[in-house]
Each structure stands twice: as structure tokens, then as C-alpha cells.
Amino acid sequence: MTRQLEWTVGLELTEEDGRTRAEARLDTGTAHLTGRGSARCNPSDVDVPAIGDELAAGRAMKDLAGQLMREANRDMEAVGAGTVPQHTGPGYGWPEAVS
């Protein structure tokens, strides 16, 4: 069986007073999910808006991905299938900074 779907993700960024907020919105045609993320510029750092955009957007998309994975786990449990094991460590960044 072949199927083709198109899901749309929109990303909205706003910046005010050194804080960037992001909302990632997923529309599957049957469901809507919204992920949120934010970033702030440390007052002692150089203000580079693109970095705040990237951090806030990445965090919003990570939040959205987590919601989507939890939804998939609920759906799998509902039909009697096992769930995907949860990853407990950092998925990105400098591992030595997290330990």
C-alpha cells in the first residue's frame, strides 16, 4: 500500500529585549501541535540575533519533536505495540559540558 502525505511546519520568531521566542506549528491535516522555545542574550555577550534565532527555533522544533514522539508512543500503546525506548543522554552539543 502506497501513501503520500504532506505535513506543514511553520516557524514564527519574535525578539524583544534580548530574548527570542519561537513557535513551531505542525499541521498534519488531522492534528495540530505547537512547540515552543526561547533564547536570551547574556548581557556580557555580543548581540548576534541570528544565534538567538537558531537556538530558539531549534528548541521549539525539539519540543515539537518530543510531542510528536509522545503521540506516536500513545498510538502504539493503543494498538498493543511496544514503545520506542527513551534516550536519556544529550542528543547534541558538547558531551563534556553536560557531565
Side-chain angles (χ1 to χ4, degrees), residues 56-76:
R59 290 169 179 161
M61 289 189 282
K62 184 176 179 181
D63 180 38
L64 182 62
Q67 291 179 46
L68 196 55
M69 291 301 296
R70 287 188 295 277
E71 186 67 28
N73 282 337
R74 282 190 294 271
D75 290 346
M76 287 189 296

Side-chain angles (χ1 to χ4, degrees), residues 28-70:
T28 69
T30 58
H32 301 276
L33 297 173
T34 300
R36 292 177 176 79
S38 66
R40 69 169 182 80
C41 182
N42 185 318
S44 65
D45 290 342
V46 176
D47 187 15
V48 182
I51 294 172
D53 294 346
E54 293 162 350
L55 287 170
R59 290 169 179 161
M61 289 189 282
K62 184 176 179 181
D63 180 38
L64 182 62
Q67 291 179 46
L68 196 55
M69 291 301 296
R70 287 188 295 277

